[in-house]
Each structure stands twice: as structure tokens, then as C-alpha cells.
Amino acid sequence: MNLFKKNPFGHILFLKLWLIRIAGVLTHRRFKGFNELQIHGSDILKTLPEKNVLFVSNHQTYFADVAAMLHVFNASLSGRDDSIKNVGYLWRPKLNIYFVAAKETMKSGLLPKILAYAGSVSIERTWREKGKEVNKQVKMSDVSNITNALNDGWVITFPQGTTKPWKPIRRGTAHIIKMNKPLVVPIVIDGFRRSFDKKGIRIKKRGILQTMEIKPPLEIDYENDTMDQIVEKLEYAIEQHPSFLKVIPATEIQSEEELNKQRQWHY
């Protein structure tokens, strides 16, 4: 490798390589040790093209979600099926994987800045800033940066733009899909919110089963699907459509409690 070769964002690939190796070794036990990551569908990753692939996922922590995906992606590409056993897969990681993140978050400390160098495409939030609701115009430079990342490789994005579940999909993701026509691969994760703090840095509980399901690419008609249709497809694909939110009526809960009392009495 040319020691000073750079990616489209000016990051030196040799430095990025070692950042990924070191960060990968430091985080590996978070998914294969303190907690267990159960993976489904990683064989799909081996069939994907080298670039213009957009991964869309629900979001549970700032950094742990992405770290787990980088482990799974590189493990799968090195020949492992649904496993991140043996961290040796990080010796030759895929260097053209990027993730979309809020610029505000990636400038919030030394660790986020290091992670940003490892693959962040930082954008300015148009709906929230410093904990307050805002309504700003989308910066065309942010859109261009995501396009540049797709033209170079794979991009991970969290289209809800928040770690809170059941929030609506941001239409900007649909715009990116219409404009760049990427292969869209959905990912559904769970357990990270219970394992880590909100930032995904501090381990909150151990022995938690984390899951990651990588689904087949979405069927999207880039020319004829409307923005709303694409948004709806994304909601269903990452299992964040309102229909997935099942609310148990109070009457049913009361009925179950009465039944439990009867069972306790009989026993």
C-alpha cells in the first residue's frame, strides 16, 4: 500500500488502516466476550458490489452500532459466516466503508474525532442542534459528501437520525437513494441499547444478547417510486414502521393479571 495514498475525503489510508485495527481489537470483546452478538444473513455481504451500496439501519447508540457493523462486515468478507470469532479479520479490513453521522456528535471529544477519521461522513443536522429543535436547509456539500462516499464504497446510514425508536424516517435518505440509485441493504439491530450507554462507549450491562440481521437488498424502482413510497419501504425494512409497534390494551393486561392470580391460587 502507498503509505500516503488518500481516500476522497483526504484521509491517509495507511493511518486509517491502523486506526481500524487498534479500535477493532479494543472493541471486539464488547460483542464477543462481555456480550454476545448473534448475526444473521452476513453471507449477503459477500455478494455485494465494491461500491454504491447503502446500508440502512435502526439506531440504538451513537458508536457501538457502527463498531459492530464494521466487525461483521470485515469478518464476513474474510470468509466467516455469521461470526466475528478470531479478530484476525481486521488485519486487512475493507477501507472504503463509511458511516453517516452528525457533525456535532463527531466533534464532541477525542474518541469521536478518531472514529470520524476511520470513516465518518459528517453532516449537519437540519432538525436538531445542541439539543434543541431547529429547521435548517440541507447543505448541498453534505449531500455531495455522501455521494462521494457511495462512489468510493459502502455507506452506513441511520435514516431515523436518532437513537429513539419509532421515530419517522428522514426524507433526505429517500432523496439520496433517488439521486444515487445505490443498492439498499437493510439491517435490523437489537440489544445495543441494553448493553451500552447512549453513546455506546460505556458498558451498561454484561451478558446481553445483541442481534444483527442483514436482509437482502430492497427492490426499489428508482425512476417511478415516490419519496413517500421509498420512505415506507425503509420503515418496513428496518422494522420501524408504526405497524410494528404493538400496544397491549389495558383490559388485556388486567385480564392477564387476573389469570395469573388464579394460577397462583391453584398452585
Side-chain angles (χ1 to χ4, degrees):
M1 177 189 292
N2 185 336
L3 292 181
F4 299 103
K5 185 178 181 180
K6 298 180 179 180
N7 66 14
F9 300 98
H11 298 153
I12 299 172
L13 293 182
F14 183 75
L15 179 56
K16 181 175 178 177
L17 169 67
W18 277 100
L19 284 174
I20 291 173
R21 285 174 178 171
I22 294 168
V25 170
L26 293 175
T27 59
H28 186 253
R29 289 195 67 195
R30 291 166 172 256
F31 313 110
K32 187 70 177 174
F34 301 133
N35 297 297
E36 188 69 23
L37 179 61
Q38 190 177 85
I39 309 159
H40 300 283
S42 68
D43 56 310
I44 291 169
L45 299 167
K46 303 171 190 175
T47 68
L48 301 178
E50 179 67 17
K51 57 185 180 180
N52 205 28
V53 178
L54 183 67
F55 296 91
V56 293
S57 175
N58 61 314
H59 203 14
Q60 297 198 338
T61 72
Y62 289 173
F63 303 120
D65 307 4
V66 169
M69 289 178 193
L70 291 177
H71 276 288
V72 172
F73 289 8
N74 284 297
S76 176
L77 293 175
S78 69
R80 292 160 177 79
D81 291 325
D82 293 342
S83 172
I84 57 169
K85 185 178 180 181
N86 185 348
V87 77
Y89 54 78
L90 288 172
W91 186 248
R92 297 186 65 183
K94 182 176 172 64
L95 295 177
N96 57 342
I97 301 176
Y98 303 93
F99 59 95
V100 179
K103 191 174 293 183
E104 181 182 342
T105 301
M106 302 313 293
K107 289 184 175 181
S108 61
L110 178 61
L111 180 59
K113 288 178 182 178
I114 293 173
L115 291 173
Y117 201 95
S120 165
V121 180
S122 299
I123 64 171
E124 289 189 11
R125 287 196 187 108
T126 58
W127 65 94
R128 194 168 180 83
E129 186 177 36
K130 296 180 180 178
K132 296 181 180 179
E133 299 295 327
V134 296
N135 187 12
K136 296 165 61 177
Q137 284 289 109
V138 174
K139 291 185 67 173
M140 292 312 296
S141 59
D142 289 346
V143 176
S144 296
N145 284 337
I146 295 174
T147 297
N148 289 338
L150 284 168
N151 288 337
D152 187 58
W154 294 358
V155 176
I156 301 165
T157 189
F158 304 96
Q160 291 170 288
T162 177
T163 56
K164 295 179 180 177
W166 313 113
K167 293 298 181 180
I169 298 288
R170 299 286 168 183
R171 290 173 62 86
T173 304
H175 175 75
I176 293 294
I177 292 171
K178 289 278 283 186
M179 184 173 68
N180 294 284
K181 300 177 177 57
L183 197 65
V184 181
V185 180
I187 297 178
V188 178
I189 61 171
D190 195 22
F192 293 82
R193 187 179 286 111
R194 295 186 292 277
S195 305
F196 306 103
D197 64 352
K198 187 174 182 179
K199 288 187 176 181
I201 296 175
R202 182 176 61 84
I203 297 173
K204 192 165 62 175
K205 288 185 179 180
R206 301 190 181 202
I208 299 295
L209 177 63
Q210 305 156 345
T211 61
M212 181 183 299
E213 181 184 2
I214 301 161
K215 298 184 177 182
L218 290 179
E219 293 185 7
I220 297 175
D221 187 336
Y222 302 104
E223 304 299 332
N224 298 313
D225 280 354
T226 65
M227 300 277 278
D228 288 339
Q229 287 173 326
I230 293 175
V231 164
E232 187 176 45
K233 286 181 179 182
L234 295 178
E235 286 178 332
Y236 276 111
I238 65 173
E239 299 180 9
Q240 291 294 298
H241 189 272
S243 64
F244 283 89
L245 183 57
K246 298 178 181 178
V247 179
I248 303 175
T251 53
E252 187 174 335
I253 294 174
Q254 185 177 356
S255 175
E256 286 294 325
E257 288 178 349
E258 291 295 329
L259 183 58
N260 285 335
K261 286 180 182 178
Q262 290 177 23
R263 288 170 175 163
Q264 184 178 15
W265 174 258
H266 287 306
Y267 283 123

